[in-house]
Amino acid sequence: MRRTATLTATAALAFGATVFTATPASAHGYVSSPPSRQAFCAQGKVPCGPIKYEPQSVEGPKGQRNCHGGVARFAELSDDGKAWPATPVGNSVSFNWVLTARHATSTWEYYIGDKLIATFNDGGRQPGATVTHNVNLSGYSGKQKVLAVWNIADTAAAFYSCIDLQVGGSGGAPAPTPTKTTAPAPTPTKPSTPAPTPTRTAVPGPTAVPTKFPSVPAGTWRQGGKYVVGNVVTHLGVKYRCIQSHTAYGDWAPPKVPALWRRLG
């Protein structure tokens, strides 16, 4: 009887250990802008399979140098032969992470090839729902693939995102300062009767190039709007609720990015 109880207890412990080991970490996240490969998958710009529905789930053991985190079903993310769009940037880039679940963090790392180009140490702190890092890409030009890694503090896991960039492209160049030209004043003539006072017509100045997208927390969805979790918008007569904070880059309309919007009704 005692032997049967011991075997049962041992089996239960083994099962519990198996379940614990198979359960993934609760944290999830990915680089939303400049759009990472999984972000482009989520908006349907590149066919990628199941990652389209869970761009935040590229989780694997720490220390890898691939785009799919060693997860076989996401292996397409490491296929450099796919038509991944390269975002034009300057020599300084702000990488924005969207975290669908926050987790104590050790470090954030950025690589080009095998070279570590930037690291940010959080010392085990819990991040917010979004995280931004400014990375200097001086010394690089042309098309580059950046691997961004989020290392979790209290597990052996990390999250991976690859971002394709065109360094030195128009996306990071400042707009030229327009030159203001003043029209010459007309030479007055001496009439026999008093000349009417000339009317000065203001020369319209140049239209400033916007440097930030407008903030659109609710109402009708707009490209370039900034949205946070819970915002409700209308698109083509249908209402959607934001389920991940983001900026609506490109054609990120709610029906095309189910990872960012949930249809209501």
Side-chain angles (χ1 to χ4, degrees):
M1 181 70 172
R2 181 177 300 172
R3 178 180 177 84
T4 301
T6 301
L7 289 174
T8 302
T10 302
L13 287 172
F15 174 77
T18 301
V19 171
F20 179 79
T21 302
T23 302
S26 60
H28 293 85
Y30 69 106
V31 175
S32 61
S33 66
S36 58
R37 290 186 174 185
Q38 55 257 59
F40 278 123
C41 291
Q43 60 177 298
K45 295 233 176 203
V46 180
C48 307
I51 191 61
K52 174 178 181 178
Y53 304 102
E54 45 180 329
Q56 72 279 6
S57 297
V58 185
E59 176 186 14
K62 293 175 182 175
Q64 299 190 71
R65 296 294 175 265
N66 59 65
C67 302
H68 65 289
V71 182
R73 64 197 182 102
F74 299 151
E76 289 173 287
L77 294 173
S78 293
D79 182 358
D80 293 336
K82 280 184 171 290
W84 302 109
T87 304
V89 297
N91 291 324
S92 180
V93 184
S94 291
F95 292 95
N96 301 298
W97 288 78
V98 171
L99 310 183
T100 59
R102 300 178 296 159
H103 204 288
T105 301
S106 57
T107 58
W108 310 81
E109 298 175 329
Y110 295 85
Y111 294 85
I112 291 182
D114 290 327
K115 183 177 180 180
L116 178 65
I117 60 172
T119 183
F120 301 86
N121 192 335
D122 276 13
R125 294 188 300 273
Q126 183 182 37
T130 59
V131 174
T132 300
H133 301 124
N134 189 267
V135 176
N136 190 342
L137 297 181
S138 296
Y140 293 92
S141 63
K143 190 171 183 179
Q144 301 290 341
K145 180 177 69 176
V146 176
L147 171 63
V149 183
W150 174 23
N151 290 308
I152 307 306
D154 51 4
T155 75
F159 288 83
Y160 298 85
S161 281
C162 277
I163 309 98
D164 296 278
L165 303 175
Q166 186 69 35
V167 182
S170 59
T177 303
T179 302
K180 186 175 181 179
T181 304
T182 304
T187 303
T189 58
K190 189 174 181 181
S192 57
T193 58
T197 302
T199 301
R200 297 185 66 182
T201 302
V203 178
T207 302
V209 178
T211 57
K212 294 184 178 180
F213 290 113
S215 178
V216 186
T220 302
W221 178 88
R222 298 181 191 175
Q223 180 177 332
K226 293 184 177 180
Y227 300 96
V228 298
V229 174
N231 286 165
V232 176
V233 300
T234 302
H235 178 71
L236 299 180
V238 179
K239 287 188 175 181
Y240 297 84
R241 177 177 286 110
C242 179
I243 58 176
Q244 290 188 44
S245 300
H246 66 283
T247 299
Y249 288 91
D251 190 19
W252 285 21
K256 297 185 178 180
V257 280
L260 303 179
W261 296 97
R262 178 170 295 140
R263 179 169 176 162
L264 300 179

